[in-house]
Amino acid sequence: MAIIDYSREPHSDIAFVDMKSFYASVECVQRGLHPLKTSLCVMSRADNAGGLILASSPTFKEVFGKENVSRSGDLPFDIHSRKFRPNGQRVSQEYVAHIEKWAKRTLIVPPRMALYIEENLKIQKIFENFASEREIHPYSIDEGFLDLTTSLNYFIPDKTMDRREKLDLLSAKIQQEIWRATGIFSTVGMSDANPLLAKLALDNEAKKNKNMRALWSYEDVESKLWAIPKLTDFWGIGQRVAKRLEKLGIHSIRELACANPERLQREFGIMGLQLWFHAHGVDESNLARPYRPQSRGIGNSQVLPRDYVKIQEMEIVLSEMAEQVAIRLRRIHKKATVVSLHVGFSHREALKSINTSMKVRPTQSTRELTGHVLSLFRKKYRRGAVRRIGVRYGELVDEGQAIYSFFDDIEQMEKTEQLERAIDEIRDRFGYLAVQRASSLMEGSRVRERSKLIGGHCGGLDGIV
């Protein structure tokens, strides 16, 4: 086994801060309830049998054993009557009484994305009190890295304390400030080495500790990192990668660290080497210069509020989505050369989802892109109730690129482009609904409802109970 010389590796004081059950905690605080002791879940489309659980409080997870991103139909109780739903299993009367007691206490609320963003901005302001903007790297709406290397001695000048003690103390202060400003509890993974070890400390230890903090160093690689029980508990390893590793005889992080890096590179390419270094706790990323990959495509998807059985309704929604993504394409000054379509069927249908794509000449025209989307749909769709759709434009090129044929009416194409850009400007100034197609008034249209969403979910302040 190769030996890593950790003295030559980067050493930074990193805190990875995660808001505890963020969406659910915000909803609890808004109602004056304790985020860790209240049974609450944030559910999109609770009026629907397929309502999606976006977030849930720790108590909800403990009582009902459900994680986020599951369906209302998976719960052991009916969300309307709050009565026990057996789902085929045999249980005791005591269990039924327990479930129904908690079901009656449980709050089921709709998502309010505008509110969550507002709370996130408060938290970002707190981060800026402890680190400069370039030393803060948001990971998601409820998580973020802070590089505290340069500010550690400023906030804690005590020379009798080592940097590990200072990092823990400063992280505790950050937790307290977040709680004072928002009422939300946070968990912190720390490392005096790199961001990877901070993230692993959070996922594998901090969440279990009473103070909700944990610190991992290079010295902890063998005792803590290699002791992670499952491959999929390791950052960057999902089910598919884990299966490929197991085929190579690698079933643990320790075995991954002891594997031949050249063999891993042959199997996974550069990612294989990255996995090997990560298994040794090595991560040379710099938060002040985060890697931002170039976008290779943009898209959008949605779960329909009901099963769509009429082709006309399906095509209305597909056209609306094709237009919405085309607008985004023009905003980033790109053209698409690949159009992709996803159509998912109702869970009552025993039908395989449609996933198809086609190469097209560079375009950002709503008219052309909508035509391509509908063409793909008409070629592949045969039957079945549709519940999910997605449109994606890929292999993007600069908008200056164009390909014409002898049959193109260049003058008409330029007029269409000017019209679409004029409509874009009107919508940017007065809102998306300022200019709409007549089809938006037809049954099945989703454009009015989706224009009010943020991140695909309700953005308003409705739903307070």
Side-chain angles (χ1 to χ4, degrees), residues 14 16 145 190-191 193-204 216 218 225 234-236 274-285 287:
I14 306 295
F16 183 73
F145 286 100
M190 302 167 288
S191 177
N194 57 54
L196 171 70
L197 288 177
K199 179 73 168 71
L200 293 172
L202 178 122
D203 291 339
N204 295 279
W216 285 17
Y218 288 128
L225 192 153
F234 192 77
W235 185 83
Q274 185 183 56
L275 287 173
W276 185 82
F277 277 109
H278 282 182
H280 285 276
V282 174
D283 171 25
E284 297 186 353
S285 59
L287 295 186

PDB file of all heavy atoms in Angstrom, residues 14 16 145 190-191 193-204 216 218 225 234-236 274-285 287:
ATOM      1  N   ILE A  14     -11.646  23.958   8.301  1.00  0.00           N
ATOM      2  CA  ILE A  14     -12.903  23.943   7.563  1.00  0.00           C
ATOM      3  C   ILE A  14     -14.064  23.573   8.485  1.00  0.00           C
ATOM      4  O   ILE A  14     -13.966  22.646   9.297  1.00  0.00           O
ATOM      5  CB  ILE A  14     -12.851  22.929   6.402  1.00  0.00           C
ATOM      6  CG1 ILE A  14     -11.637  23.184   5.505  1.00  0.00           C
ATOM      7  CG2 ILE A  14     -14.146  22.969   5.604  1.00  0.00           C
ATOM      8  CD1 ILE A  14     -11.652  24.502   4.771  1.00  0.00           C
ATOM      9  N   PHE A  16     -18.110  22.563   7.980  1.00  0.00           N
ATOM     10  CA  PHE A  16     -19.207  22.266   7.056  1.00  0.00           C
ATOM     11  C   PHE A  16     -20.491  22.290   7.875  1.00  0.00           C
ATOM     12  O   PHE A  16     -20.703  21.444   8.747  1.00  0.00           O
ATOM     13  CB  PHE A  16     -19.019  20.901   6.396  1.00  0.00           C
ATOM     14  CG  PHE A  16     -20.070  20.576   5.380  1.00  0.00           C
ATOM     15  CD1 PHE A  16     -20.091  21.213   4.155  1.00  0.00           C
ATOM     16  CD2 PHE A  16     -21.058  19.633   5.645  1.00  0.00           C
ATOM     17  CE1 PHE A  16     -21.052  20.924   3.207  1.00  0.00           C
ATOM     18  CE2 PHE A  16     -22.025  19.342   4.710  1.00  0.00           C
ATOM     19  CZ  PHE A  16     -22.027  19.983   3.483  1.00  0.00           C
ATOM     20  N   PHE A 145     -19.886  25.246   3.215  1.00  0.00           N
ATOM     21  CA  PHE A 145     -18.526  25.173   3.735  1.00  0.00           C
ATOM     22  C   PHE A 145     -18.044  26.565   4.127  1.00  0.00           C
ATOM     23  O   PHE A 145     -18.303  27.544   3.422  1.00  0.00           O
ATOM     24  CB  PHE A 145     -17.568  24.639   2.665  1.00  0.00           C
ATOM     25  CG  PHE A 145     -17.689  23.165   2.387  1.00  0.00           C
ATOM     26  CD1 PHE A 145     -18.393  22.708   1.289  1.00  0.00           C
ATOM     27  CD2 PHE A 145     -17.072  22.237   3.225  1.00  0.00           C
ATOM     28  CE1 PHE A 145     -18.479  21.355   1.011  1.00  0.00           C
ATOM     29  CE2 PHE A 145     -17.155  20.878   2.959  1.00  0.00           C
ATOM     30  CZ  PHE A 145     -17.865  20.436   1.847  1.00  0.00           C
ATOM     31  N   MET A 190     -16.217  19.297  11.111  1.00  0.00           N
ATOM     32  CA  MET A 190     -15.023  20.145  11.083  1.00  0.00           C
ATOM     33  C   MET A 190     -13.794  19.329  10.690  1.00  0.00           C
ATOM     34  O   MET A 190     -13.744  18.119  10.878  1.00  0.00           O
ATOM     35  CB  MET A 190     -14.797  20.759  12.472  1.00  0.00           C
ATOM     36  CG  MET A 190     -15.958  21.588  12.997  1.00  0.00           C
ATOM     37  SD  MET A 190     -15.761  21.951  14.773  1.00  0.00           S
ATOM     38  CE  MET A 190     -16.080  20.341  15.507  1.00  0.00           C
ATOM     39  N   SER A 191     -12.804  20.027  10.162  1.00  0.00           N
ATOM     40  CA  SER A 191     -11.529  19.396   9.855  1.00  0.00           C
ATOM     41  C   SER A 191     -10.432  20.444   9.848  1.00  0.00           C
ATOM     42  O   SER A 191     -10.646  21.565   9.374  1.00  0.00           O
ATOM     43  CB  SER A 191     -11.580  18.683   8.496  1.00  0.00           C
ATOM     44  OG  SER A 191     -10.304  18.141   8.182  1.00  0.00           O
ATOM     45  N   ALA A 193      -7.914  19.782   8.158  1.00  0.00           N
ATOM     46  CA  ALA A 193      -7.205  19.279   6.983  1.00  0.00           C
ATOM     47  C   ALA A 193      -7.821  19.787   5.688  1.00  0.00           C
ATOM     48  O   ALA A 193      -7.225  20.582   4.966  1.00  0.00           O
ATOM     49  CB  ALA A 193      -7.191  17.748   7.006  1.00  0.00           C
ATOM     50  N   ASN A 194      -9.073  19.374   5.405  1.00  0.00           N
ATOM     51  CA  ASN A 194      -9.670  19.708   4.108  1.00  0.00           C
ATOM     52  C   ASN A 194     -11.189  19.574   4.145  1.00  0.00           C
ATOM     53  O   ASN A 194     -11.759  19.007   5.096  1.00  0.00           O
ATOM     54  CB  ASN A 194      -9.071  18.825   3.007  1.00  0.00           C
ATOM     55  CG  ASN A 194      -9.244  17.344   3.304  1.00  0.00           C
ATOM     56  OD1 ASN A 194     -10.347  16.869   3.555  1.00  0.00           O
ATOM     57  ND2 ASN A 194      -8.154  16.597   3.272  1.00  0.00           N
ATOM     58  N   PRO A 195     -11.875  20.050   3.106  1.00  0.00           N
ATOM     59  CA  PRO A 195     -13.345  19.991   3.068  1.00  0.00           C
ATOM     60  C   PRO A 195     -13.908  18.571   3.077  1.00  0.00           C
ATOM     61  O   PRO A 195     -14.970  18.327   3.653  1.00  0.00           O
ATOM     62  CB  PRO A 195     -13.696  20.703   1.751  1.00  0.00           C
ATOM     63  CG  PRO A 195     -12.546  21.610   1.496  1.00  0.00           C
ATOM     64  CD  PRO A 195     -11.344  20.884   1.997  1.00  0.00           C
ATOM     65  N   LEU A 196     -13.218  17.624   2.437  1.00  0.00           N
ATOM     66  CA  LEU A 196     -13.707  16.243   2.397  1.00  0.00           C
ATOM     67  C   LEU A 196     -13.870  15.673   3.796  1.00  0.00           C
ATOM     68  O   LEU A 196     -14.916  15.114   4.138  1.00  0.00           O
ATOM     69  CB  LEU A 196     -12.750  15.367   1.590  1.00  0.00           C
ATOM     70  CG  LEU A 196     -13.027  13.858   1.663  1.00  0.00           C
ATOM     71  CD1 LEU A 196     -14.313  13.516   0.932  1.00  0.00           C
ATOM     72  CD2 LEU A 196     -11.857  13.057   1.104  1.00  0.00           C
ATOM     73  N   LEU A 197     -12.849  15.813   4.625  1.00  0.00           N
ATOM     74  CA  LEU A 197     -12.920  15.255   5.973  1.00  0.00           C
ATOM     75  C   LEU A 197     -13.965  15.973   6.820  1.00  0.00           C
ATOM     76  O   LEU A 197     -14.601  15.364   7.683  1.00  0.00           O
ATOM     77  CB  LEU A 197     -11.546  15.330   6.642  1.00  0.00           C
ATOM     78  CG  LEU A 197     -10.493  14.349   6.082  1.00  0.00           C
ATOM     79  CD1 LEU A 197      -9.149  14.560   6.756  1.00  0.00           C
ATOM     80  CD2 LEU A 197     -10.956  12.908   6.258  1.00  0.00           C
ATOM     81  N   ALA A 198     -14.182  17.273   6.563  1.00  0.00           N
ATOM     82  CA  ALA A 198     -15.236  17.998   7.277  1.00  0.00           C
ATOM     83  C   ALA A 198     -16.609  17.438   6.912  1.00  0.00           C
ATOM     84  O   ALA A 198     -17.462  17.239   7.782  1.00  0.00           O
ATOM     85  CB  ALA A 198     -15.165  19.486   6.949  1.00  0.00           C
ATOM     86  N   LYS A 199     -16.824  17.172   5.616  1.00  0.00           N
ATOM     87  CA  LYS A 199     -18.110  16.614   5.164  1.00  0.00           C
ATOM     88  C   LYS A 199     -18.323  15.213   5.732  1.00  0.00           C
ATOM     89  O   LYS A 199     -19.416  14.878   6.201  1.00  0.00           O
ATOM     90  CB  LYS A 199     -18.138  16.569   3.636  1.00  0.00           C
ATOM     91  CG  LYS A 199     -19.423  15.980   3.045  1.00  0.00           C
ATOM     92  CD  LYS A 199     -20.588  16.924   3.189  1.00  0.00           C
ATOM     93  CE  LYS A 199     -21.788  16.503   2.368  1.00  0.00           C
ATOM     94  NZ  LYS A 199     -22.491  15.312   2.868  1.00  0.00           N
ATOM     95  N   LEU A 200     -17.292  14.394   5.728  1.00  0.00           N
ATOM     96  CA  LEU A 200     -17.412  13.040   6.267  1.00  0.00           C
ATOM     97  C   LEU A 200     -17.625  13.065   7.777  1.00  0.00           C
ATOM     98  O   LEU A 200     -18.366  12.222   8.319  1.00  0.00           O
ATOM     99  CB  LEU A 200     -16.171  12.227   5.912  1.00  0.00           C
ATOM    100  CG  LEU A 200     -15.988  11.922   4.422  1.00  0.00           C
ATOM    101  CD1 LEU A 200     -14.630  11.278   4.167  1.00  0.00           C
ATOM    102  CD2 LEU A 200     -17.106  11.014   3.916  1.00  0.00           C
ATOM    103  N   ALA A 201     -17.005  14.017   8.460  1.00  0.00           N
ATOM    104  CA  ALA A 201     -17.212  14.154   9.906  1.00  0.00           C
ATOM    105  C   ALA A 201     -18.662  14.486  10.210  1.00  0.00           C
ATOM    106  O   ALA A 201     -19.249  13.977  11.177  1.00  0.00           O
ATOM    107  CB  ALA A 201     -16.287  15.229  10.469  1.00  0.00           C
ATOM    108  N   LEU A 202     -19.251  15.347   9.383  1.00  0.00           N
ATOM    109  CA  LEU A 202     -20.655  15.708   9.588  1.00  0.00           C
ATOM    110  C   LEU A 202     -21.566  14.505   9.360  1.00  0.00           C
ATOM    111  O   LEU A 202     -22.424  14.183  10.188  1.00  0.00           O
ATOM    112  CB  LEU A 202     -21.055  16.837   8.645  1.00  0.00           C
ATOM    113  CG  LEU A 202     -22.526  17.235   8.768  1.00  0.00           C
ATOM    114  CD1 LEU A 202     -22.672  18.699   9.112  1.00  0.00           C
ATOM    115  CD2 LEU A 202     -23.275  16.935   7.486  1.00  0.00           C
ATOM    116  N   ASP A 203     -21.390  13.825   8.225  1.00  0.00           N
ATOM    117  CA  ASP A 203     -22.290  12.743   7.848  1.00  0.00           C
ATOM    118  C   ASP A 203     -22.181  11.529   8.761  1.00  0.00           C
ATOM    119  O   ASP A 203     -23.177  10.835   8.986  1.00  0.00           O
ATOM    120  CB  ASP A 203     -22.013  12.302   6.407  1.00  0.00           C
ATOM    121  CG  ASP A 203     -22.414  13.360   5.394  1.00  0.00           C
ATOM    122  OD1 ASP A 203     -23.239  14.225   5.741  1.00  0.00           O
ATOM    123  OD2 ASP A 203     -21.896  13.326   4.260  1.00  0.00           O
ATOM    124  N   ASN A 204     -21.002  11.269   9.291  1.00  0.00           N
ATOM    125  CA  ASN A 204     -20.775  10.003   9.983  1.00  0.00           C
ATOM    126  C   ASN A 204     -20.579  10.107  11.488  1.00  0.00           C
ATOM    127  O   ASN A 204     -20.550   9.085  12.161  1.00  0.00           O
ATOM    128  CB  ASN A 204     -19.556   9.304   9.368  1.00  0.00           C
ATOM    129  CG  ASN A 204     -19.780   8.904   7.922  1.00  0.00           C
ATOM    130  OD1 ASN A 204     -20.397   7.890   7.634  1.00  0.00           O
ATOM    131  ND2 ASN A 204     -19.295   9.723   6.997  1.00  0.00           N
ATOM    132  N   TRP A 216     -12.642  15.810  12.228  1.00  0.00           N
ATOM    133  CA  TRP A 216     -11.771  14.751  11.717  1.00  0.00           C
ATOM    134  C   TRP A 216     -10.497  15.351  11.149  1.00  0.00           C
ATOM    135  O   TRP A 216     -10.532  16.376  10.438  1.00  0.00           O
ATOM    136  CB  TRP A 216     -12.477  13.945  10.620  1.00  0.00           C
ATOM    137  CG  TRP A 216     -13.518  12.994  11.138  1.00  0.00           C
ATOM    138  CD1 TRP A 216     -14.101  13.005  12.369  1.00  0.00           C
ATOM    139  CD2 TRP A 216     -14.108  11.912  10.432  1.00  0.00           C
ATOM    140  NE1 TRP A 216     -15.023  11.988  12.476  1.00  0.00           N
ATOM    141  CE2 TRP A 216     -15.049  11.297  11.294  1.00  0.00           C
ATOM    142  CE3 TRP A 216     -13.950  11.401   9.142  1.00  0.00           C
ATOM    143  CZ2 TRP A 216     -15.821  10.203  10.907  1.00  0.00           C
ATOM    144  CZ3 TRP A 216     -14.710  10.313   8.756  1.00  0.00           C
ATOM    145  CH2 TRP A 216     -15.640   9.712   9.635  1.00  0.00           C
ATOM    146  N   TYR A 218      -6.273  14.291   9.530  1.00  0.00           N
ATOM    147  CA  TYR A 218      -5.550  13.241   8.820  1.00  0.00           C
ATOM    148  C   TYR A 218      -5.245  12.084   9.759  1.00  0.00           C
ATOM    149  O   TYR A 218      -5.216  10.915   9.345  1.00  0.00           O
ATOM    150  CB  TYR A 218      -4.245  13.788   8.244  1.00  0.00           C
ATOM    151  CG  TYR A 218      -4.423  14.713   7.059  1.00  0.00           C
ATOM    152  CD1 TYR A 218      -3.839  15.974   7.042  1.00  0.00           C
ATOM    153  CD2 TYR A 218      -5.166  14.318   5.944  1.00  0.00           C
ATOM    154  CE1 TYR A 218      -3.983  16.825   5.959  1.00  0.00           C
ATOM    155  CE2 TYR A 218      -5.324  15.168   4.852  1.00  0.00           C
ATOM    156  CZ  TYR A 218      -4.727  16.416   4.865  1.00  0.00           C
ATOM    157  OH  TYR A 218      -4.882  17.250   3.785  1.00  0.00           O
ATOM    158  N   LEU A 225     -12.264   7.229   9.218  1.00  0.00           N
ATOM    159  CA  LEU A 225     -12.665   7.177   7.811  1.00  0.00           C
ATOM    160  C   LEU A 225     -12.757   5.737   7.325  1.00  0.00           C
ATOM    161  O   LEU A 225     -13.720   5.354   6.673  1.00  0.00           O
ATOM    162  CB  LEU A 225     -11.679   7.988   6.972  1.00  0.00           C
ATOM    163  CG  LEU A 225     -12.075   8.286   5.521  1.00  0.00           C
ATOM    164  CD1 LEU A 225     -11.413   9.576   5.055  1.00  0.00           C
ATOM    165  CD2 LEU A 225     -11.681   7.159   4.591  1.00  0.00           C
ATOM    166  N   PHE A 234     -20.021   6.829   2.094  1.00  0.00           N
ATOM    167  CA  PHE A 234     -18.856   7.653   1.777  1.00  0.00           C
ATOM    168  C   PHE A 234     -19.233   8.679   0.726  1.00  0.00           C
ATOM    169  O   PHE A 234     -19.949   8.364  -0.233  1.00  0.00           O
ATOM    170  CB  PHE A 234     -17.728   6.760   1.258  1.00  0.00           C
ATOM    171  CG  PHE A 234     -16.385   7.441   1.167  1.00  0.00           C
ATOM    172  CD1 PHE A 234     -15.635   7.651   2.305  1.00  0.00           C
ATOM    173  CD2 PHE A 234     -15.879   7.839  -0.054  1.00  0.00           C
ATOM    174  CE1 PHE A 234     -14.391   8.271   2.240  1.00  0.00           C
ATOM    175  CE2 PHE A 234     -14.636   8.451  -0.144  1.00  0.00           C
ATOM    176  CZ  PHE A 234     -13.895   8.670   1.004  1.00  0.00           C
ATOM    177  N   TRP A 235     -18.742   9.896   0.874  1.00  0.00           N
ATOM    178  CA  TRP A 235     -19.068  10.966  -0.064  1.00  0.00           C
ATOM    179  C   TRP A 235     -18.620  10.601  -1.471  1.00  0.00           C
ATOM    180  O   TRP A 235     -17.487  10.190  -1.700  1.00  0.00           O
ATOM    181  CB  TRP A 235     -18.395  12.263   0.373  1.00  0.00           C
ATOM    182  CG  TRP A 235     -18.787  13.435  -0.465  1.00  0.00           C
ATOM    183  CD1 TRP A 235     -19.901  14.208  -0.328  1.00  0.00           C
ATOM    184  CD2 TRP A 235     -18.066  13.978  -1.575  1.00  0.00           C
ATOM    185  NE1 TRP A 235     -19.929  15.189  -1.286  1.00  0.00           N
ATOM    186  CE2 TRP A 235     -18.815  15.075  -2.068  1.00  0.00           C
ATOM    187  CE3 TRP A 235     -16.876  13.642  -2.206  1.00  0.00           C
ATOM    188  CZ2 TRP A 235     -18.404  15.837  -3.142  1.00  0.00           C
ATOM    189  CZ3 TRP A 235     -16.465  14.402  -3.287  1.00  0.00           C
ATOM    190  CH2 TRP A 235     -17.223  15.483  -3.742  1.00  0.00           C
ATOM    191  N   GLY A 236     -19.541  10.727  -2.431  1.00  0.00           N
ATOM    192  CA  GLY A 236     -19.200  10.480  -3.830  1.00  0.00           C
ATOM    193  C   GLY A 236     -19.418   9.058  -4.310  1.00  0.00           C
ATOM    194  O   GLY A 236     -19.188   8.762  -5.486  1.00  0.00           O
ATOM    195  N   GLN A 274      -9.369   9.554  -7.940  1.00  0.00           N
ATOM    196  CA  GLN A 274      -9.960  10.452  -6.952  1.00  0.00           C
ATOM    197  C   GLN A 274     -10.543   9.649  -5.792  1.00  0.00           C
ATOM    198  O   GLN A 274     -10.372  10.023  -4.627  1.00  0.00           O
ATOM    199  CB  GLN A 274     -11.041  11.306  -7.606  1.00  0.00           C
ATOM    200  CG  GLN A 274     -11.634  12.355  -6.682  1.00  0.00           C
ATOM    201  CD  GLN A 274     -12.749  13.142  -7.335  1.00  0.00           C
ATOM    202  OE1 GLN A 274     -13.722  12.589  -7.810  1.00  0.00           O
ATOM    203  NE2 GLN A 274     -12.582  14.460  -7.375  1.00  0.00           N
ATOM    204  N   LEU A 275     -11.218   8.551  -6.087  1.00  0.00           N
ATOM    205  CA  LEU A 275     -11.778   7.708  -5.030  1.00  0.00           C
ATOM    206  C   LEU A 275     -10.670   7.174  -4.130  1.00  0.00           C
ATOM    207  O   LEU A 275     -10.824   7.111  -2.901  1.00  0.00           O
ATOM    208  CB  LEU A 275     -12.570   6.552  -5.637  1.00  0.00           C
ATOM    209  CG  LEU A 275     -13.926   6.892  -6.265  1.00  0.00           C
ATOM    210  CD1 LEU A 275     -14.504   5.676  -6.970  1.00  0.00           C
ATOM    211  CD2 LEU A 275     -14.905   7.390  -5.210  1.00  0.00           C
ATOM    212  N   TRP A 276      -9.557   6.768  -4.739  1.00  0.00           N
ATOM    213  CA  TRP A 276      -8.446   6.224  -3.956  1.00  0.00           C
ATOM    214  C   TRP A 276      -7.872   7.291  -3.023  1.00  0.00           C
ATOM    215  O   TRP A 276      -7.643   7.033  -1.836  1.00  0.00           O
ATOM    216  CB  TRP A 276      -7.368   5.702  -4.907  1.00  0.00           C
ATOM    217  CG  TRP A 276      -6.234   5.022  -4.209  1.00  0.00           C
ATOM    218  CD1 TRP A 276      -6.186   3.729  -3.761  1.00  0.00           C
ATOM    219  CD2 TRP A 276      -4.964   5.607  -3.875  1.00  0.00           C
ATOM    220  NE1 TRP A 276      -4.979   3.471  -3.173  1.00  0.00           N
ATOM    221  CE2 TRP A 276      -4.201   4.609  -3.222  1.00  0.00           C
ATOM    222  CE3 TRP A 276      -4.405   6.870  -4.069  1.00  0.00           C
ATOM    223  CZ2 TRP A 276      -2.912   4.836  -2.766  1.00  0.00           C
ATOM    224  CZ3 TRP A 276      -3.115   7.104  -3.603  1.00  0.00           C
ATOM    225  CH2 TRP A 276      -2.382   6.094  -2.966  1.00  0.00           C
ATOM    226  N   PHE A 277      -7.646   8.488  -3.548  1.00  0.00           N
ATOM    227  CA  PHE A 277      -7.128   9.567  -2.701  1.00  0.00           C
ATOM    228  C   PHE A 277      -8.128   9.942  -1.614  1.00  0.00           C
ATOM    229  O   PHE A 277      -7.746  10.183  -0.456  1.00  0.00           O
ATOM    230  CB  PHE A 277      -6.778  10.793  -3.553  1.00  0.00           C
ATOM    231  CG  PHE A 277      -5.426  10.717  -4.205  1.00  0.00           C
ATOM    232  CD1 PHE A 277      -5.300  10.534  -5.563  1.00  0.00           C
ATOM    233  CD2 PHE A 277      -4.271  10.814  -3.437  1.00  0.00           C
ATOM    234  CE1 PHE A 277      -4.050  10.455  -6.160  1.00  0.00           C
ATOM    235  CE2 PHE A 277      -3.004  10.748  -4.020  1.00  0.00           C
ATOM    236  CZ  PHE A 277      -2.892  10.561  -5.396  1.00  0.00           C
ATOM    237  N   HIS A 278      -9.397  10.000  -1.965  1.00  0.00           N
ATOM    238  CA  HIS A 278     -10.421  10.314  -0.960  1.00  0.00           C
ATOM    239  C   HIS A 278     -10.461   9.264   0.143  1.00  0.00           C
ATOM    240  O   HIS A 278     -10.700   9.588   1.313  1.00  0.00           O
ATOM    241  CB  HIS A 278     -11.794  10.424  -1.632  1.00  0.00           C
ATOM    242  CG  HIS A 278     -11.998  11.720  -2.347  1.00  0.00           C
ATOM    243  ND1 HIS A 278     -13.182  12.052  -2.985  1.00  0.00           N
ATOM    244  CD2 HIS A 278     -11.182  12.797  -2.531  1.00  0.00           C
ATOM    245  CE1 HIS A 278     -13.060  13.252  -3.531  1.00  0.00           C
ATOM    246  NE2 HIS A 278     -11.865  13.722  -3.267  1.00  0.00           N
ATOM    247  N   ALA A 279     -10.251   8.005  -0.223  1.00  0.00           N
ATOM    248  CA  ALA A 279     -10.233   6.946   0.791  1.00  0.00           C
ATOM    249  C   ALA A 279      -9.064   7.120   1.752  1.00  0.00           C
ATOM    250  O   ALA A 279      -9.071   6.562   2.856  1.00  0.00           O
ATOM    251  CB  ALA A 279     -10.161   5.575   0.120  1.00  0.00           C
ATOM    252  N   HIS A 280      -8.052   7.881   1.346  1.00  0.00           N
ATOM    253  CA  HIS A 280      -6.929   8.216   2.231  1.00  0.00           C
ATOM    254  C   HIS A 280      -7.133   9.576   2.887  1.00  0.00           C
ATOM    255  O   HIS A 280      -6.218  10.094   3.546  1.00  0.00           O
ATOM    256  CB  HIS A 280      -5.623   8.210   1.439  1.00  0.00           C
ATOM    257  CG  HIS A 280      -5.124   6.838   1.110  1.00  0.00           C
ATOM    258  ND1 HIS A 280      -4.374   6.076   1.982  1.00  0.00           N
ATOM    259  CD2 HIS A 280      -5.304   6.064   0.003  1.00  0.00           C
ATOM    260  CE1 HIS A 280      -4.088   4.912   1.429  1.00  0.00           C
ATOM    261  NE2 HIS A 280      -4.646   4.879   0.224  1.00  0.00           N
ATOM    262  N   GLY A 281      -8.301  10.188   2.687  1.00  0.00           N
ATOM    263  CA  GLY A 281      -8.585  11.479   3.314  1.00  0.00           C
ATOM    264  C   GLY A 281      -7.950  12.650   2.620  1.00  0.00           C
ATOM    265  O   GLY A 281      -7.873  13.748   3.186  1.00  0.00           O
ATOM    266  N   VAL A 282      -7.507  12.461   1.386  1.00  0.00           N
ATOM    267  CA  VAL A 282      -6.812  13.520   0.654  1.00  0.00           C
ATOM    268  C   VAL A 282      -7.788  14.255  -0.260  1.00  0.00           C
ATOM    269  O   VAL A 282      -8.490  13.637  -1.072  1.00  0.00           O
ATOM    270  CB  VAL A 282      -5.643  12.954  -0.179  1.00  0.00           C
ATOM    271  CG1 VAL A 282      -5.020  14.048  -1.049  1.00  0.00           C
ATOM    272  CG2 VAL A 282      -4.596  12.342   0.748  1.00  0.00           C
ATOM    273  N   ASP A 283      -7.847  15.571  -0.120  1.00  0.00           N
ATOM    274  CA  ASP A 283      -8.717  16.417  -0.940  1.00  0.00           C
ATOM    275  C   ASP A 283      -8.014  17.758  -1.086  1.00  0.00           C
ATOM    276  O   ASP A 283      -7.825  18.480  -0.106  1.00  0.00           O
ATOM    277  CB  ASP A 283     -10.085  16.584  -0.269  1.00  0.00           C
ATOM    278  CG  ASP A 283     -10.959  17.615  -0.959  1.00  0.00           C
ATOM    279  OD1 ASP A 283     -10.749  17.862  -2.163  1.00  0.00           O
ATOM    280  OD2 ASP A 283     -11.844  18.183  -0.290  1.00  0.00           O
ATOM    281  N   GLU A 284      -7.609  18.106  -2.297  1.00  0.00           N
ATOM    282  CA  GLU A 284      -6.838  19.321  -2.511  1.00  0.00           C
ATOM    283  C   GLU A 284      -7.679  20.478  -3.039  1.00  0.00           C
ATOM    284  O   GLU A 284      -7.145  21.453  -3.550  1.00  0.00           O
ATOM    285  CB  GLU A 284      -5.669  19.026  -3.466  1.00  0.00           C
ATOM    286  CG  GLU A 284      -4.687  18.011  -2.883  1.00  0.00           C
ATOM    287  CD  GLU A 284      -3.461  17.806  -3.745  1.00  0.00           C
ATOM    288  OE1 GLU A 284      -3.429  18.353  -4.873  1.00  0.00           O
ATOM    289  OE2 GLU A 284      -2.531  17.101  -3.302  1.00  0.00           O
ATOM    290  N   SER A 285      -8.998  20.375  -2.915  1.00  0.00           N
ATOM    291  CA  SER A 285      -9.853  21.471  -3.377  1.00  0.00           C
ATOM    292  C   SER A 285      -9.667  22.694  -2.488  1.00  0.00           C
ATOM    293  O   SER A 285      -9.416  22.584  -1.292  1.00  0.00           O
ATOM    294  CB  SER A 285     -11.325  21.042  -3.375  1.00  0.00           C
ATOM    295  OG  SER A 285     -11.740  20.650  -2.079  1.00  0.00           O
ATOM    296  N   LEU A 287     -11.525  26.134  -1.277  1.00  0.00           N
ATOM    297  CA  LEU A 287     -12.837  26.788  -1.237  1.00  0.00           C
ATOM    298  C   LEU A 287     -12.800  28.196  -1.817  1.00  0.00           C
ATOM    299  O   LEU A 287     -13.810  28.689  -2.317  1.00  0.00           O
ATOM    300  CB  LEU A 287     -13.355  26.846   0.201  1.00  0.00           C
ATOM    301  CG  LEU A 287     -13.661  25.507   0.875  1.00  0.00           C
ATOM    302  CD1 LEU A 287     -14.307  25.747   2.223  1.00  0.00           C
ATOM    303  CD2 LEU A 287     -14.549  24.639   0.005  1.00  0.00           C
TER     304      LEU A 287
END
